[in-house]
């Protein structure tokens, strides 16, 4: 599946992206680097970062509900904010508030759903999310079902009908354009954090429609028998992470990593990861409060990184 979708535009009509003007020709063949941007893809900040492939895309994690929290995170200079409906304090209604708040700041709203159920994928994408992240994947067959739930026919089985999704892109597509362009523009991401998924990672990475393999190091370590304790990764866990990155890169996909500090994010950026979470709202708040309170008491600043 090409990263840049061909726009549904009449022959000869110009299409202006944020940086280039493309002229569409009937039946023309565009090299991967010069295919025209669809209207939806122009508004997908993270997908565009992947297309440009200039540097790792840095984002942050939202676990606290509230539109103002979403905007604070989105205005921090990131490409994306992950709205965490798995472990975060964010229900369906809070997700529907967070996604438009993030999008209004010119940043890609992403949603980690609680489980790999099709209706959860539909709710997240119908809210206008630019991509979904599915936790605790265990098999290639599950990955295929996720792709089917995330794609409109004929590639999948997603239903059309949300009146909200189009408004989360700038320029905003019509419902027809959303239907025609969503399969190519939205990101389908899965977390490799179980022994079963690690064993099948090469097969999973090769599945059409899977865009990102995202590593959750804590659950991955737990599930392969080498948990992260006091922030220390065992060599066996590091080897598993290397294997996932290698399989993803070989398949031409993108690999993501959940880091717990800016320093760790830089380390994995230098290793070649394409998408890295550099901070989590709750731990940032905990760490910042600790620094301020200790300074007020004349005490040494606590170790950064919250409770991780």
């Amino acid at each position: 599946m090409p990263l840049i979708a061909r726009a549904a535009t009449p022959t000869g009509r110009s299409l202006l992206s944020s940086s280039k003007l493309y002229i569409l020709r009937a039946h023309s063949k565009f090299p991967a680097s010069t295919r025209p941007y669809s209207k939806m893809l122009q508004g997908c900040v993270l997908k565009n970062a992947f297309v440009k492939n200039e540097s790792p895309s840095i984002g942050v994690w939202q676990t606290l509900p509230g539109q103002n929290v979403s905007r604070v995170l989105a205005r921090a200079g990131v490409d994306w904010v992950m709205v965490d409906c798995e472990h975060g304090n964010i229900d369906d209604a809070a997700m529907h508030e967070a996604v438009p708040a993030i999008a209004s700041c010119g940043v890609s709203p992403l949603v980690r759903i609680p489980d790999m159920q099709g209706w959860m994928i539909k709710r997240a994408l119908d809210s206008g999310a630019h991509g979904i992240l599915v936790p605790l994947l265990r098999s290639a067959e599950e990955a295929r079902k996720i792709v089917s739930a995330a794609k409109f026919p004929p590639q999948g089985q997603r239903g059309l009908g949300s009146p909200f999704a189009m408004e989360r892109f700038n320029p905003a597509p019509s419902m027809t354009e959303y239907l025609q362009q969503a399969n190519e523009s939205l990101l389908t991401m899965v977390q490799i954090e179980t022994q079963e998924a690690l064993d099948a990672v090469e097969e999973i990475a090769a599945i059409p429609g899977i865009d990102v393999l995202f590593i959750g190091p804590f659950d991955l370590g737990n599930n392969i028998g080498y948990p992260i304790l006091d922030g220390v990764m065992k060599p066996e866990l590091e080897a598993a992470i290397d294997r996932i990155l290698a399989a993803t890169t070989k398949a031409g996909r993108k690999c993501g990593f959940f880091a717990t500090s800016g320093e760790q994010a830089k380390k994995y950026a230098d290793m070649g990861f394409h998408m890295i979470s550099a901070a989590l709202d709750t731990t940032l708040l905990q760490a910042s409060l600790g620094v301020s309170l200790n300074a007020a008491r004349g005490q040494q600043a606590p170790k950064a990184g919250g409770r991780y």
Side-chain angles (χ1 to χ4, degrees):
M1 182 179 296
L3 282 174
I4 306 179
R6 183 168 299 178
T9 311
T11 302
R13 179 179 171 185
S14 64
L15 175 65
L16 184 63
S17 79
S18 58
S19 60
K20 296 182 180 179
L21 180 66
Y22 297 94
I23 306 297
L24 307 188
R25 307 286 184 193
H27 309 299
S28 61
K29 301 295 184 181
F30 291 87
S33 61
T34 59
R35 289 187 189 128
Y37 276 55
S38 71
K39 181 178 286 188
M40 272 188 69
L41 187 52
Q42 292 178 50
C44 293
V45 178
L46 176 56
K47 191 70 174 277
N48 272 303
F50 286 161
V51 171
K52 293 176 183 177
N53 200 30
E54 294 174 349
S55 60
S57 180
I58 304 297
V60 293
W61 226 255
Q62 180 177 353
T63 63
L64 299 173
Q67 299 178 49
N68 289 329
V69 175
S70 302
R71 292 189 183 95
V72 167
L73 296 174
R75 289 171 177 160
V78 296
D79 288 337
W80 50 273
V81 177
M82 183 70 69
V83 181
D84 190 357
C85 298
E86 184 194 15
H87 294 306
N89 183 25
I90 299 179
D91 60 13
D92 187 83
M95 176 191 73
H96 275 82
E97 293 183 350
V99 167
I102 294 163
S104 71
C105 299
V107 170
S108 279
L110 309 174
V111 174
R112 178 163 72 168
I113 60 176
D115 192 22
M116 61 184 70
Q117 299 180 43
W119 72 268
M120 294 181 181
I121 294 173
K122 177 166 61 177
R123 293 294 291 170
L125 293 178
D126 279 1
S127 75
H130 293 187
I132 50 104
L133 178 63
V134 181
L136 293 171
L137 184 74
R138 296 190 182 277
S139 70
E141 182 57 31
E142 286 182 347
R144 293 185 184 95
K145 290 179 180 178
I146 290 165
V147 171
S148 181
K151 304 294 184 184
F152 291 121
Q155 290 95 332
Q157 299 177 334
R158 181 185 171 195
L160 176 69
S162 170
F164 311 116
M166 293 74 68
E167 299 173 359
R168 314 311 179 217
F169 299 86
N170 186 20
S174 66
M175 183 170 283
T176 294
E177 289 170 327
Y178 184 88
L179 172 64
Q180 292 174 323
Q181 299 168 15
N183 283 359
E184 295 287 330
S185 301
L186 304 180
L187 291 163
T188 302
M189 304 175 284
V190 295
Q191 284 195 254
I192 306 299
E193 50 184 357
T194 66
Q195 181 67 61
E196 297 94 326
L198 177 63
D199 292 341
V201 68
E202 289 80 11
E203 183 182 1
I204 293 168
I207 293 173
I210 294 294
D211 298 296
V212 177
L213 277 65
F214 198 97
I215 297 174
F218 291 95
D219 275 332
L220 179 61
N222 293 341
N223 281 305
I224 67 173
Y226 299 98
I228 298 174
L229 302 176
D230 296 323
V232 178
M233 285 191 188
K234 302 285 178 53
E236 293 84 355
L237 176 56
E238 293 179 341
I241 291 169
D242 291 342
R243 177 182 173 182
I244 296 167
L245 176 60
T248 306
T249 303
K250 182 178 179 180
R253 305 295 192 253
K254 303 298 182 181
C255 200
F257 189 84
F258 180 87
T260 58
S261 69
E263 293 76 14
Q264 189 184 47
K266 179 63 166 62
K267 171 186 173 181
Y268 284 90
D270 291 343
M271 288 173 60
F273 281 81
H274 310 96
M275 173 187 182
I276 304 166
S277 174
L280 185 146
D281 55 358
T282 307
T283 54
L284 280 176
L285 182 59
Q286 292 166 345
S288 180
L289 283 171
V291 169
S292 295
L293 292 174
N294 280 32
R297 294 166 179 149
Q299 299 172 351
Q300 184 177 356
K303 181 181 178 181
R307 295 178 181 172
Y308 278 102

